[in-house]
Amino acid sequence: MDEAQTIVVGKKVHRPLLDNTTITDDLRVAREELNETPETREVALKVLKKMLAEQDEFIPRVDDVFLLRFLRCRKFDCERAFKTVKEHYKFRKQNPDIYPFADWHRKGFESLHFQFPTSQRQ
């Protein structure tokens, strides 16, 4: 299979979806349009994690990659990102047919009904 190619149209660069390289234009867009800099990213993640730790409505994921999705879509406004995270978990709870394992982290891996191989044969 051929690798996807980068396409340039005028000043716009269209890269393959799974291309993880960061170019100067990415950093400019992050800074100018999303208010994202290394400093604001660090501060916003700490604030959002604190807000999530203080609520007791749901048990959220708190890894940086997951939370950055919400911060970026709300241009690093922590209040709006927090509200979006709450809405995300509310939607998951209201739609168990879409998210059948929405609360697996509360029950543990046993709720997934996977059978893991054991080192001892029976």
Side-chain angles (χ1 to χ4, degrees):
M1 174 186 256
D2 294 332
E3 288 192 28
Q5 300 295 314
T6 299
I7 301 169
V8 179
V9 180
K11 292 184 179 182
K12 187 70 176 165
V13 178
H14 302 277
R15 294 187 319 230
L17 180 64
L18 299 177
D19 182 357
N20 290 329
T21 58
T22 302
I23 60 175
T24 306
D25 196 48
D26 295 335
L27 299 174
R28 181 195 59 76
V29 168
R31 185 179 58 254
E32 293 175 5
E33 297 180 18
L34 303 177
N35 304 316
E36 179 180 358
T37 64
E39 296 80 23
T40 59
R41 184 183 319 120
E42 184 179 335
V43 170
L45 281 168
K46 285 181 183 177
V47 170
L48 184 56
K49 286 178 181 182
K50 183 175 186 231
M51 294 169 79
L52 290 168
E54 291 172 350
Q55 62 80 36
D56 61 353
E57 298 174 38
F58 54 91
I59 300 173
R61 281 179 53 185
V62 291
D63 56 284
D64 292 355
V65 172
F66 180 73
L67 297 179
L68 280 170
R69 296 175 188 169
F70 296 96
L71 286 165
R72 286 179 176 140
C73 78
R74 296 297 175 230
K75 297 188 178 187
F76 282 77
D77 180 329
C78 294
E79 290 289 334
R80 291 176 55 216
F82 177 70
K83 182 178 177 184
T84 305
V85 172
K86 283 176 55 172
E87 291 299 316
H88 168 75
Y89 280 98
K90 179 180 173 184
F91 182 84
R92 287 180 68 112
K93 187 175 182 178
Q94 292 172 342
N95 295 281
D97 52 320
I98 299 172
Y99 299 101
F101 303 121
D103 63 347
W104 67 269
H105 57 280
R106 291 178 191 235
K107 297 176 185 172
F109 285 105
E110 64 273 3
S111 68
L112 295 176
H113 304 292
F114 290 134
Q115 292 193 4
F116 296 100
T118 61
S119 60
Q120 299 175 347
R121 293 183 180 236
Q122 296 181 10

